[in-house]
Amino acid sequence: MQIHTFPVSDGIETNAYFYIDETSHHGFLIDPAAEPEKLLQIIKDNNWIIEKMLITHGHFDHIGAVETLHKQLNIPYFIHENGKEYLTNSAFNLSSYFGDSISLNQAEFLKENDFVSLETDPHVKLKVIHTPGHTQDSVLFYDEQNALAFVGDTIFKASIGRTDFPGGNSQQLKNSIETKVFNLPDETILYSGHSDPTTIMAEKKNFKFFF
Ligand SMILES: [Zn+2]
């Protein structure tokens, strides 16, 4: 499994992640955050087949390229079922604060403990773990076999997600981190929306400073 990180920006820099099976060159794009033309060029240059887009949560700075890639590549996009309000309400996805109005109406919805698997190899799969707190639709996508997870804005290297946006709740975030994130094995690598990768072990040490 290959993880390729591309920071993209529409004012706020966010990590877009390509999760690629090196045998088939098929994979997923996690958080198509911005700069669709750049992401399309990367896909083309690498001869990747992106089967699905996965969204860790419906904030504008994680979904800015979804519509263009959905149209150009004709691929579906997935978000937690609580994400419907975020994708369709510009006050919830925060795009209205930046004079924009993102509204995405063709998402497919995920629930806790669903698996998202590759069409070409169903053994390649990510588990959906619901981690509300930063938003009500926040999830992490967990690859048990390769001991890694895409965590969006729930937790960062030496930091945690903000809870002052619509649907944010600091007690819920604390609970999600303690009972869901820290339930993963210590060596699990965490790929976040806005920081370098970290591990469960490292963040367990940092956590006591945040609450
Ligand atoms: Zn966010």
Side-chain angles (χ1 to χ4, degrees):
M1 190 52 55
Q2 300 175 339
I3 312 298
H4 300 270
T5 309
F6 289 93
V8 288
S9 174
D10 207 359
I12 294 176
E13 192 172 88
T14 303
N15 293 322
Y17 292 104
F18 289 96
Y19 173 89
I20 305 293
D21 172 40
E22 59 265 71
T23 312
S24 66
H25 290 195
H26 281 234
F28 304 136
L29 170 54
I30 293 127
D31 285 347
E35 300 189 71
E37 300 307 328
K38 177 176 164 180
L39 294 173
L40 284 165
Q41 192 63 46
I42 291 164
I43 294 166
K44 194 171 167 214
D45 289 347
N46 287 283
N47 289 316
W48 290 332
I49 308 288
I50 303 303
E51 294 187 357
K52 293 164 181 163
M53 292 182 277
L54 309 181
I55 302 167
T56 59
H57 65 294
H59 274 160
F60 78 104
D61 58 330
H62 292 253
I63 59 174
V66 169
E67 183 148 43
T68 304
L69 269 64
H70 175 64
K71 284 190 182 139
Q72 297 272 326
L73 300 175
N74 195 25
I75 53 173
Y77 53 96
F78 294 79
I79 194 167
H80 185 267
E81 55 192 351
N82 290 350
K84 189 169 191 175
E85 175 138 39
Y86 288 87
L87 291 185
T88 56
N89 181 335
S90 60
F92 262 68
N93 65 43
L94 307 178
S95 59
S96 63
Y97 294 90
F98 295 86
D100 203 353
S101 72
I102 297 180
S103 182
L104 299 169
N105 302 301
Q106 290 177 286
E108 297 184 32
F109 295 103
L110 301 166
K111 299 190 301 293
E112 173 92 327
N113 295 326
D114 279 354
F115 283 94
V116 184
S117 54
L118 267 191
E119 305 292 330
T120 45
D121 182 357
H123 296 292
V124 177
K125 59 181 193 260
L126 295 170
K127 185 178 184 179
V128 176
I129 299 175
H130 187 212
T131 53
H134 173 63
T135 59
Q136 288 305 304
D137 66 337
S138 288
V139 295
L140 51 93
F141 295 106
Y142 175 47
D143 175 347
E144 184 177 9
Q145 209 174 352
N146 294 296
L148 61 91
F150 301 95
V151 297
D153 291 357
T154 293
I155 190 164
F156 305 105
K157 182 175 184 177
S159 187
I160 56 167
R162 288 175 62 165
T163 55
D164 55 336
F165 299 127
N169 182 314
S170 66
Q171 190 54 43
Q172 218 178 13
L173 180 69
K174 181 173 191 278
N175 189 54
S176 288
I177 293 172
E178 283 179 328
T179 66
K180 303 278 188 76
V181 181
F182 289 171
N183 195 37
L184 304 178
D186 274 354
E187 65 277 13
T188 307
I189 297 172
L190 305 178
Y191 293 97
S192 84
H194 307 281
S195 76
D196 288 338
T198 184
T199 62
I200 298 286
M201 202 182 318
E203 295 319 313
K204 277 182 176 170
K205 287 177 190 148
N206 292 324
F207 186 65
K208 59 180 175 290
F209 301 111
F210 302 138
F211 287 97

